[in-house]
Amino acid sequence: MTVITGTLEPFAAFAAEGPYLPRTRPAGIPMRVRGLETVTLDAIRIHTNNYLNFYRDGEYTAYRHGVSLGEFTFRTGVTEARTELVDVPLTDVETGSWRNSARNVLVTDLALASVTLADTVLVWVTSLESGAPVPDCRVEVRSFTDQVLGESASDSSGLARIAIDDGPGAEAPYLVIAQLG
């Protein structure tokens, strides 16, 4: 049986749903591309102290919470009307969080898992690459209004215990930020 279709239009889309890229692998974002020899991305670096505002306000506020790194054009090598998986190299883009019109990406090797108890937030910090605990990582808990509720460093097992105020009128934990080094 033969199936005949119309002309396939050029196409580009991010192949992965997740926003995290391990810092230890070559910086690149997988994309599905068809019939496009080049793709141009507009990158915006969101400063660490603006993460809360950016994630709270939504991705369309990127220019308010970050600085443009400019447009980056890369060659895909896909000129035919077949879909191929290519890796967008990010070697010319600073590491950190950046956004284009379709995807937020955070380049990191830190994975966080947290649980809030009555007056404590427990945060486990592990490596995305190896799964090993990450000691001596600075961990901060912030409220929805961007107030620092507490901070601590992770121990040898990757655990940070952060005491928070749970009294009347105290703000609830909203975001956990970790920084190594």
Side-chain angles (χ1 to χ4, degrees):
M1 169 169 41
T2 302
V3 176
I4 299 174
T5 65
T7 304
L8 296 174
E9 296 295 321
F11 167 82
F14 290 102
E17 292 295 321
Y20 302 103
L21 295 176
R23 184 183 297 270
T24 54
R25 77 179 281 269
I29 300 175
M31 288 187 76
R32 290 186 313 275
V33 178
R34 177 176 57 233
L36 293 171
E37 191 170 332
T38 62
V39 172
T40 300
L41 303 174
D42 179 29
I44 301 167
R45 185 181 195 288
I46 307 301
H47 299 289
T48 304
N49 62 329
N50 286 337
Y51 281 176
L52 176 86
N53 295 324
F54 172 69
Y55 286 110
R56 180 188 61 206
D57 296 346
E59 66 183 47
Y60 298 103
T61 65
Y63 284 104
R64 186 171 36 176
H65 302 301
V67 62
S68 174
L69 299 177
E71 288 188 346
F72 297 87
T73 301
F74 75 98
R75 296 183 61 77
T76 67
V78 181
T79 56
E80 299 178 21
R82 69 174 188 271
T83 304
E84 293 187 26
L85 188 64
V86 297
D87 208 30
V88 178
L90 299 179
T91 53
D92 295 335
V93 179
E94 295 179 46
T95 59
S97 184
W98 70 275
R99 170 197 177 279
N100 86 24
S101 63
R103 181 70 70 229
N104 297 322
V105 178
L106 182 63
V107 179
T108 184
D109 187 43
L110 301 177
L112 306 177
S114 66
V115 63
T116 302
L117 306 173
D119 61 352
T120 305
V121 176
L122 299 176
V123 181
W124 287 270
V125 184
T126 58
S127 165
L128 282 173
E129 183 73 19
S130 69
V134 177
D136 303 317
C137 185
R138 187 175 147 264
V139 180
E140 190 175 85
V141 176
R142 292 180 177 246
S143 71
F144 185 80
T145 61
D146 204 18
Q147 301 306 302
V148 176
L149 302 180
E151 61 184 290
S152 182
S154 58
D155 62 18
S156 61
S157 65
L159 181 63
R161 291 174 176 83
I162 303 166
I164 58 170
D165 181 6
D166 67 339
E171 293 190 67
Y174 179 76
L175 179 72
V176 175
I177 299 174
Q179 188 170 13
L180 187 60

